[in-house]
Amino acid sequence: MGISVFDNSNYSPVGDLVVIATCFVFIILLSTAYVSQTRLYAIFKAIILTLTISGFAGLLYHYGIIKPELFPIPVIYAFRVIYHTALYSNLLLYLHYTLQVLRLNGQKYKNVAILSFVMFILLCITEVLGVVFGFGFSIDKNMQIIRGFDYFALGYILFVSLILGLLIANMNRIFKQIIWSVILSTFISFMLIIIQTLHGQASYTTVTFLFPVIALMYLIHSNPYDIEIGSLDLSAFNDYVNYYHHRKKVLVIMSLYLWEFDGEGKKYPHAVQEEIRKFAGEFFKGANLFQVTNGRMVLAADIERNANYDHVINLMLNAFQDIYPKYGHDFKIVILKSMAEISEHQEYVSLIKYIENSMPINDIHYFENDDLVSYKRHRFIVEQLEDIHKKRNLDDERVLVYCQPVFNIQKGSFDTAEALMRIRLPEIGMIYPNEFIPIAEEQGLIHMLSLIILNKTCKSISKLLQDGYKISRISVNFSIIEMRDEDFCFDVSKVIKDSGIDFDKIAIEITESQNEEDFLVVKEKIDVLRQSGMKFYLDDFGTGYSNFERIMELPFDIIKFDRSLVLASTEGSKSEKMVSHMARMFSEMNYSILYEGVESELDEEKCLRMSARYLQGFKYSKPIPIEHLKEYVGKTA
């Protein structure tokens, strides 16, 4: 940003030529690279445009002064007015750019906007009137320059002072390093003008307007390309989708997921990167490539520019199948067109992940309407779970406690039960654990649900005891994920304590983890909570890899044999012996054995022969609302 000085002998076209060339470089970069299509970016492009105009006008104006025979005097005046008006416009746009960055609004924004616009109009009018009436710049009959008062210098000082004042007064609104970078680049421009003036120069006025533009390009509009693979990031993808959505244009979107490279710090091999680069540039016109997660690439292109997109997709898939044997990395490919309701919420990555979850490995899926219906159901469940988590209401009516009575063989009665979670949502109705628990665990929302179940279970136990029913305890399931939280023991203890029941009326069920860190965490949590009298169940024993050494190190009270072991025991005497020996071994080590999934008399007879202490399954009861548990447990004498 600068003050023009008019001297025939002290002007060199180098400065204006550098500005023009640099602006054209900016235009090339901005037209070939991806930049977020925001209001800020629109102002930035206008700044570059006015700077380009001022470069051309300044060049012609100064040449007109040096060689007045080139142009008629009115044309020289016109070049001067265009030159200064373009620079005034640049200052005005730069000021409004600053207002956008600082996110000023309300009366303060309005006051500064009005003031700057009035300054701009007055300076432009003064520039014209000075030429018309001769009190500013003019050329006499002898082709001598009459300088008059330098109104441009005044306008420059006013605008720069206002911009710097705004930046300094609102430094707390944005990242200070950015503020200082803009302030210092503007200050350097100002100092260059002073040096130029002291040396009677006029060559670098327009150049000084270029420095802040370079600073803005680097700090705010820098290109987010990954140099190695040529992809943009998730933020750029969301901006890209938003840009086309607001212009009511449709995109074709292709997602490639290589799960082998999904994880923090993992990168595609160089050979794979090279293949991805080829696919991104050789098929669709004007396509952009985005790496939205580690291991997941998305290619998006405007359908208007690719009317034969179906044919192009087939070509890409054929090419992909040709090179797949060369690398052999497992994949999932999802192909879809952009949709308004997904674009509005910027949910394509979530939608793609949702579809991938039900896809087999090495499969290609074309999006269908049923996918959208099921995804909307999934999204609604997520929203409801988030709302439950946010409200932290331990009595939330959407979370229901069911239970399954457990038969105590020694007592010959039902004196325990397992609490089971259900969710009932508006518009959907009842939702079962196999659908919502994986979502809750993935989204980090499971712990609040478990605490609600624990709270309602405690209240039900309290009510049963008050009404004279005999209930030894009810078990509640918690996930390993929850136990990693350092506040786990406090949260559980607080709920039980606030309910007023004894801690031994609650048991916690957990599933074994193969992770060494999880093992240590679980051991620590069990040791703390057992001191209060709580019991612990090892759930789903027999469903996967079981480390007997670790099980022995954890102070469980009850081992729950999964139904798969009950079924295995019926396959022959050898299988029954194996299950029976395992159960007897645990019993001799003072673990109680609970068999799940007992559905028939035959199942029951087998379990009784295999050291059973407790039996649970449909033979006795399906899951019931916990309020109905009193129909199974007896009353005290």
Side-chain angles (χ1 to χ4, degrees):
M1 299 177 183
I3 308 167
S4 56
V5 177
F6 310 104
D7 191 318
N8 303 30
S9 61
N10 290 331
Y11 173 76
S12 168
V14 173
D16 287 321
L17 288 173
V18 166
V19 170
I20 294 169
T22 305
C23 286
F24 274 109
V25 170
F26 277 141
I27 291 168
I28 292 169
L29 291 175
L30 295 177
S31 62
T32 56
Y34 176 79
V35 181
S36 299
Q37 304 293 319
T38 61
R39 177 176 173 79
L40 210 59
Y41 178 56
I43 298 174
F44 182 74
K45 289 193 293 185
I47 289 173
I48 293 173
L49 177 62
T50 58
L51 200 52
T52 306
I53 293 171
S54 65
F56 277 112
L59 191 67
L60 294 170
Y61 159 61
H62 285 104
Y63 264 116
I65 294 175
I66 295 170
K67 297 182 178 181
E69 66 275 8
L70 290 176
F71 306 109
I73 291 177
V75 173
I76 297 174
Y77 286 154
F79 285 148
R80 175 189 166 87
V81 171
I82 294 170
Y83 175 49
H84 282 179
T85 300
L87 292 178
Y88 289 144
S89 299
N90 191 276
L91 288 166
L92 180 67
L93 288 167
Y94 190 69
L95 187 140
H96 279 264
Y97 188 98
T98 304
L99 290 174
Q100 293 292 321
V101 169
L102 295 175
R103 300 185 184 277
L104 294 183
N105 49 40
Q107 194 60 43
K108 184 182 289 186
Y109 176 91
K110 187 181 294 185
N111 291 342
V112 175
I114 291 172
L115 175 61
S116 62
F117 188 72
V118 169
M119 284 168 51
F120 172 75
I121 295 296
L122 290 176
L123 288 167
C124 290
I125 291 174
T126 304
E127 195 73 36
V128 174
L129 293 178
V131 170
V132 173
F133 295 104
F135 59 81
F137 172 85
S138 63
I139 302 174
D140 65 16
K141 296 177 182 180
N142 299 317
M143 302 304 293
Q144 295 298 311
I145 297 172
I146 302 172
R147 298 180 184 281
F149 184 78
D150 194 349
Y151 291 100
F152 179 76
L154 176 63
Y156 174 84
I157 293 170
L158 289 174
F159 266 109
V160 170
S161 298
L162 185 55
I163 291 167
L164 290 175
L166 279 171
L167 290 170
I168 294 170
N170 296 278
M171 288 190 68
N172 61 332
R173 284 182 169 267
I174 57 176
F175 192 45
K176 284 186 172 52
Q177 280 85 335
I178 292 178
I179 285 279
W180 277 112
S181 297
V182 175
I183 289 174
L184 290 174
S185 63
T186 305
F187 179 73
I188 289 170
S189 299
F190 188 74
M191 292 304 297
L192 182 58
I193 280 295
I194 292 174
I195 294 170
Q196 173 182 268
T197 304
L198 292 174
H199 287 80
Q201 263 287 340
S203 305
Y204 301 104
T205 299
T206 317
V207 172
T208 61
F209 282 73
L210 190 60
F211 297 156
V213 175
I214 294 172
L216 296 178
M217 180 73 177
Y218 182 81
L219 292 169
I220 300 177
H221 302 286
S222 56
N223 188 358
Y225 275 120
D226 181 297
I227 299 300
E228 290 184 308
I229 201 167
S231 63
L232 300 149
D233 59 15
L234 176 59
S235 175
F237 175 65
N238 289 333
D239 287 333
Y240 184 81
V241 167
N242 189 55
Y243 175 77
Y244 279 90
H245 170 62
H246 285 297
R247 283 154 184 78
K248 302 188 184 306
K249 292 186 176 183
V250 180
L251 298 169
V252 58
I253 298 172
M254 297 183 68
S255 168
L256 170 66
Y257 177 48
L258 303 177
W259 65 268
E260 186 179 340
F261 306 106
D262 191 6
E264 188 175 349
K266 292 186 178 180
K267 297 185 69 174
Y268 298 109
H270 289 296
V272 174
Q273 290 181 3
E274 185 176 346
E275 296 291 353
I276 291 174
R277 282 197 299 271
K278 290 179 182 177
F279 273 81
E282 292 183 2
F283 291 91
F284 284 110
K285 297 176 184 175
N288 276 294
L289 181 68
F290 305 89
Q291 185 164 7
V292 294
T293 67
N294 281 354
R296 188 176 282 102
M297 307 297 300
V298 170
L299 187 69
D302 182 3
I303 282 182
E304 282 187 7
R305 297 185 61 185
N306 298 273
N308 63 336
Y309 68 91
D310 284 327
H311 176 64
V312 175
I313 288 172
N314 288 331
L315 290 177
M316 290 184 70
L317 293 178
N318 290 336
F320 180 84
Q321 295 292 358
D322 289 340
I323 67 166
Y324 171 70
K326 180 179 178 181
Y327 301 100
H329 298 299
D330 292 331
F331 68 89
K332 292 182 181 182
I333 293 176
V334 178
I335 302 168
L336 68 155
K337 291 192 290 186
S338 61
M339 298 158 281
E341 58 187 300
I342 302 298
S343 296
E344 286 173 3
H345 297 92
Q346 297 183 337
E347 290 184 298
Y348 286 101
V349 176
S350 296
L351 173 62
I352 289 168
K353 285 182 177 180
Y354 174 76
I355 293 171
E356 288 171 350
N357 285 338
S358 59
M359 289 173 61
I361 292 293
N362 301 330
D363 189 30
I364 300 168
H365 182 88
Y366 288 86
F367 182 85
E368 300 175 349
N369 287 334
D370 288 346
D371 294 323
L372 182 60
V373 172
S374 59
Y375 174 71
K376 286 166 71 174
R377 173 186 171 92
H378 167 81
R379 181 175 65 189
F380 181 72
I381 292 172
V382 171
E383 290 171 351
Q384 291 290 307
L385 293 177
E386 288 175 342
D387 186 63
I388 291 169
H389 180 80
K390 179 181 178 181
K391 290 183 175 175
R392 308 188 69 80
N393 177 11
L394 292 176
D395 296 311
D396 198 304
E397 295 181 354
R398 291 168 289 186
V399 184
L400 308 177
V401 183
Y402 274 55
C403 71
Q404 193 168 29
V406 175
F407 186 71
N408 186 329
I409 295 170
Q410 288 184 349
K411 294 184 179 179
S413 63
F414 298 94
D415 67 338
T416 69
E418 178 185 2
L420 303 168
M421 193 185 305
R422 302 286 187 269
I423 291 180
R424 185 167 57 213
L425 300 178
E427 302 177 20
I428 292 182
M430 190 73 78
I431 306 175
Y432 294 92
N434 63 319
E435 182 175 7
F436 70 81
I437 284 183
I439 298 173
E441 289 184 337
E442 181 183 351
Q443 300 288 332
L445 306 171
I446 187 64
H447 189 48
M448 195 64 227
L449 296 177
S450 299
L451 292 180
I452 293 172
I453 292 297
L454 177 61
N455 175 64
K456 292 189 174 186
T457 299
C458 289
K459 288 186 175 181
S460 294
I461 293 174
S462 179
K463 182 72 166 58
L464 286 169
L465 294 174
Q466 288 175 13
D467 293 345
Y469 290 95
K470 293 184 291 185
I471 183 77
S472 295
R473 65 184 169 273
I474 296 179
S475 63
V476 178
N477 288 275
F478 285 90
S479 73
I480 296 290
I481 296 171
E482 297 175 76
M483 300 188 82
R484 294 171 188 159
D485 192 322
E486 61 181 17
D487 293 327
F488 176 80
C489 293
F490 173 81
D491 292 343
V492 171
S493 299
K494 186 176 188 308
V495 171
I496 299 173
K497 185 177 180 180
D498 290 347
S499 72
I501 66 170
D502 293 335
F503 276 76
D504 62 3
K505 295 299 181 185
I506 290 292
I508 287 181
E509 295 195 21
I510 55 175
T511 304
E512 183 187 4
S513 171
Q514 297 180 36
N515 185 296
E516 178 67 26
E517 291 182 7
D518 286 342
F519 168 75
L520 297 174
V521 166
V522 169
K523 188 175 188 306
E524 176 191 351
K525 298 299 192 296
I526 292 178
D527 288 340
V528 171
L529 291 174
R530 273 179 64 89
Q531 295 177 17
S532 63
M534 295 177 64
K535 292 187 180 296
F536 283 82
Y537 294 16
L538 174 62
D539 196 14
D540 296 332
F541 177 75
T543 57
Y545 172 82
S546 293
N547 187 321
F548 282 92
E549 182 180 355
R550 283 187 175 177
I551 292 173
M552 303 307 175
E553 288 186 40
L554 294 174
F556 289 113
D557 299 284
I558 294 175
I559 308 293
K560 295 186 72 172
F561 276 40
D562 186 73
R563 172 159 175 77
S564 61
L565 293 180
V566 177
L567 291 173
S569 69
T570 63
E571 293 176 358
S573 59
K574 185 176 180 180
S575 299
E576 182 178 347
K577 281 182 181 179
M578 289 181 64
V579 177
S580 182
H581 283 319
M582 281 193 296
R584 187 181 306 115
M585 177 189 69
F586 282 124
S587 295
E588 289 173 355
M589 299 180 68
N590 296 321
Y591 294 100
S592 295
I593 306 302
L594 188 160
Y595 285 95
E596 296 183 281
V598 179
E599 297 184 358
S600 65
E601 293 288 342
L602 179 61
D603 289 343
E604 184 181 65
E605 290 172 6
K606 290 277 187 183
C607 294
L608 289 174
R609 290 199 300 267
M610 296 188 299
S611 305
R613 170 70 186 276
Y614 298 99
L615 300 174
Q616 177 182 347
F618 279 17
K619 180 185 183 301
Y620 311 105
S621 172
K622 64 179 183 180
I624 56 174
I626 198 167
E627 294 80 12
H628 297 173
L629 183 59
K630 61 185 178 183
E631 298 171 10
Y632 290 82
V633 297
K635 281 202 168 188
T636 55

